Amino acid sequence: MSSVSEEPVWKQRAVERSTQAAKARAEQRLERFLDAAQLIMNEKGSTDFTVQEVVDRSRQSLRSFYLHFDGKHELLLALFEDSLNDTAEQIRTSAAEHSDPLDRLEVGVRLLFDLCRLSPAAQRPLFTDFASQLLISHPAEVKLAHMNLLSVLTELLTGAQEAGLLRTAVKPRRTAALIMQTVMFNAQSSGSHDDNGSHPITAEEIWTFCAYGVTRRPD
């Protein structure tokens, strides 16, 4: 018996072209929802908005929204991951401008602190109320969202270790996770000077702590 012949090449090309076009349209619709949500958050300075507001701002349908997201939470999670990825790329780019491995690491730590720092000008609500909610409600998704940022910090620590600038016992990836958590938590929980005269933690203090801890440095 002869085997069933494959579909004609022209038909395969036509189906592939159609699939690619549909994928491109879906990605465009997705970006419009993300852009609309980001604009609304920038205006409000918080994640306090409704799905309908996003739909109206994006000029798309509610049905289309739910074809892409289960709900507002999933939309915010997508924005959170995008924001973390942008942060990772900014750190990688800025660190690459320096030749000394320890300088690169310092740039990474300081920049991460500044990017996550709460301030009216920063308008980064995803690193405030929503981030703390995610840690409790979706720990697995939070872990995945931080992977790119964790990789960048691991690269910086590995470079410093290979240059003989770190203790031999340091494990770059585990240390990167500790630094990331320390920097982001303190940045998100430390505001600007207030009327009570408090003094928020600075990038200098964060770097000093991450680089040297609390033990006395050798002379």
Side-chain angles (χ1 to χ4, degrees), residues 56-67:
D56 292 343
R57 179 65 68 91
S58 69
R59 297 183 179 180
Q60 299 186 94
S61 69
L62 193 61
R63 177 179 177 278
S64 179
F65 178 88
Y66 283 107
L67 284 175

Side-chain angles (χ1 to χ4, degrees), residues 168-214:
T168 55
V170 168
K171 295 179 174 61
R173 191 170 182 84
R174 290 176 66 85
T175 303
L178 289 170
I179 289 176
M180 182 176 68
Q181 293 169 17
T182 299
V183 175
M184 295 184 74
F185 175 81
N186 281 283
Q188 293 161 14
S189 61
S190 177
S192 57
H193 284 75
D194 57 27
D195 295 334
N196 295 323
S198 64
H199 299 281
I201 295 173
T202 65
E204 175 65 26
E205 290 175 293
I206 285 292
W207 164 244
T208 299
F209 180 80
C210 290
Y212 309 113
V214 295

Side-chain angles (χ1 to χ4, degrees), residues 147-171:
M147 280 298 123
N148 195 11
L149 178 57
L150 179 61
S151 294
V152 172
L153 293 176
T154 301
E155 291 169 10
L156 296 177
L157 280 161
T158 299
Q161 187 179 58
E162 291 175 348
L165 300 173
L166 304 181
R167 297 192 305 274
T168 55
V170 168
K171 295 179 174 61

Side-chain angles (χ1 to χ4, degrees), residues 92-107:
R92 180 179 278 114
T93 300
S94 296
E97 297 175 358
H98 300 265
S99 58
D100 182 84
L102 198 59
D103 287 343
R104 288 199 293 267
L105 179 59
E106 180 176 355
V107 166

Side-chain angles (χ1 to χ4, degrees), residues 116-168:
C116 295
R117 180 82 178 275
L118 302 187
S119 70
Q123 293 291 333
R124 296 175 69 81
L126 284 176
F127 288 115
T128 58
D129 52 345
F130 183 66
S132 59
Q133 294 169 23
L134 270 182
L135 287 171
I136 299 172
S137 62
H138 291 71
E141 287 84 349
V142 169
K143 182 178 180 179
L144 287 174
H146 284 85
M147 280 298 123
N148 195 11
L149 178 57
L150 179 61
S151 294
V152 172
L153 293 176
T154 301
E155 291 169 10
L156 296 177
L157 280 161
T158 299
Q161 187 179 58
E162 291 175 348
L165 300 173
L166 304 181
R167 297 192 305 274
T168 55

Side-chain angles (χ1 to χ4, degrees), residues 3-24:
S3 61
V4 178
S5 61
E6 294 183 356
E7 291 183 337
V9 175
W10 67 263
K11 191 173 184 179
Q12 294 178 30
R13 285 200 302 265
V15 170
E16 182 179 355
R17 191 175 296 114
S18 176
T19 302
Q20 291 175 343
K23 181 181 178 182

